[in-house]
Amino acid sequence: ELSNRYEACIDMVEQLTGYTRRKLEERPQWPLEEALRSVEAAVRNKGWGFTELEIKWMVSALRDALV
């Protein structure tokens, strides 16, 4: 179960990395931290079943992937 959750989080980070890069290219004036807050809120609101800890981890991994 734990490895399945980890794989789901990794997959989501990969998807969010491409999405966020595209959004930042479209809006170069958009600060990274604001983009990350927006992505975090969107993931939370989608109801995809990620825990709060998983969401925080994914946003941290996403930040690392983008800097």
Side-chain angles (χ1 to χ4, degrees):
E1 172 64 23
L2 186 58
S3 65
N4 289 340
R5 299 299 298 173
Y6 178 74
E7 290 299 322
C9 289
I10 290 292
D11 181 57
M12 183 57 65
V13 169
E14 290 172 0
Q15 293 179 51
L16 291 173
T17 299
Y19 171 81
T20 306
R21 278 195 176 120
R22 283 191 305 277
K23 291 299 178 185
L24 288 168
E25 287 173 6
E26 292 171 7
R27 303 180 214 174
Q29 74 284 1
W30 205 21
L32 176 61
E33 288 304 314
E34 188 176 329
L36 291 171
R37 281 191 298 275
S38 177
V39 168
E40 182 177 351
V43 170
R44 188 174 285 112
N45 293 330
K46 292 287 185 185
W48 288 329
F50 291 107
T51 67
E52 189 64 26
L53 186 59
E54 289 169 336
I55 293 170
K56 293 290 185 189
W57 182 87
M58 287 187 290
V59 171
S60 177
L62 177 59
R63 179 182 290 108
D64 291 346
L66 294 172
V67 293

